[in-house]
Amino acid sequence: MRTLASAFVLCIALSTLVVGCVPYTVGTTAATAPEGELETATSIALVPVGVEYRDGEGDTQEDYSGAYFLVSTGARFGIGPSTDIGIYAPGYSGVVINAKHQFQKAQPGAPLGWAAMGGMGVINGGLNAHLEATLIASGREDLIATPYGGMRFMQTFPLSSEAVSDLPTIGPFGGVRLGTTDLGVSLEVGVFYDDSALDLRTNDIIFVPSVSLHGAGLLRALMGR
């Protein structure tokens, strides 16, 4: 019981402080927000083996692993026919601004669209600068289910003596959005190489499933309005 309680407290603390965490979830397709319009989303990512630790002493030592959640909220605003800008708060402990440009739109004659997205910001309570670059490919937006996937690269840099240097985080991701950007849900899984700068775990390959809730329409539906 004491071990379970220790794991629970540790995971809650990590979820709150979000120490050493990068924003794994992409939560968007290759399409950009329509020009002059705003799209909002909230994502909840689960890092199943985000922490590994040892409990006990001597012959009674046992190794355990713990998970934590990373919640992020953001919005995208269309500034052109194929370009938008986004701003989001990863773990509510920082802010990242990025831009996405769609090079090809998915349509009947070209069923696969693709885009590039890049950004920067601060994370982990301002302890780290953050750079990101993402390639996204996705299917048609006019269908009830829009598959998407791609590659994501992230790098953090220490901004204070309390922060540590980290290796790049990189990996593929894939998912499907059900519904639209005003009333929809995205189910996504990422597989990343992510060396733990704080030595919180021994495995450098992590699987990160996430759920993104899109749009004010979904919030209204959940509230029965």
Side-chain angles (χ1 to χ4, degrees):
M1 182 64 69
R2 182 174 64 85
T3 299
L4 291 176
S6 299
F8 178 78
V9 170
L10 179 60
C11 292
I12 290 296
L14 285 170
S15 301
T16 303
L17 298 176
V18 202
V19 176
C21 295
V22 293
Y24 303 101
T25 303
V26 176
T28 184
T29 67
T32 56
E35 187 173 1
E37 295 186 20
L38 186 71
E39 297 178 348
T40 62
T42 296
S43 66
I44 305 171
L46 170 66
V47 185
V49 189
V51 182
E52 295 175 313
Y53 66 99
R54 179 164 294 176
D55 188 70
E57 297 179 357
D59 295 336
T60 64
Q61 283 188 346
E62 294 186 65
D63 293 327
Y64 298 91
S65 62
Y68 62 85
F69 290 94
L70 181 64
V71 181
S72 304
T73 296
R76 308 202 66 82
F77 182 77
I79 60 174
S82 57
T83 303
D84 67 14
I85 57 173
I87 181 170
Y88 65 96
Y92 301 118
S93 65
V95 61
V96 176
I97 298 175
N98 60 29
K100 178 169 61 173
H101 181 77
Q102 185 178 38
F103 294 93
Q104 178 174 291
K105 181 179 179 180
Q107 51 193 334
L112 188 67
W114 69 282
M117 184 168 66
M120 63 180 63
V122 293
I123 62 174
N124 301 330
L127 295 178
N128 295 94
H130 169 82
L131 293 178
E132 63 181 38
T134 308
L135 289 175
I136 310 170
S138 63
R140 290 171 53 182
E141 298 288 325
D142 57 345
L143 303 179
I144 191 172
T146 302
Y148 67 94
M151 289 290 295
R152 185 159 171 82
F153 169 89
M154 294 172 285
Q155 176 67 70
T156 63
F157 302 93
L159 293 178
S160 75
S161 58
E162 300 177 10
V164 296
S165 298
D166 199 2
L167 295 176
T169 296
I170 187 170
F173 63 92
V176 59
R177 191 194 67 212
L178 306 175
T180 67
T181 53
D182 184 57
L183 179 58
V185 177
S186 290
L187 308 176
E188 179 180 318
V189 176
V191 182
F192 296 97
Y193 171 81
D194 185 15
D195 177 70
S196 176
L198 299 178
D199 294 326
L200 297 177
R201 51 182 159 75
T202 58
N203 191 357
D204 293 334
I205 304 297
I206 60 173
F207 295 80
V208 184
S210 63
V211 176
S212 296
L213 309 178
H214 299 282
L218 180 59
L219 181 61
R220 292 193 298 267
L222 293 174
M223 297 177 66
R225 295 182 179 179

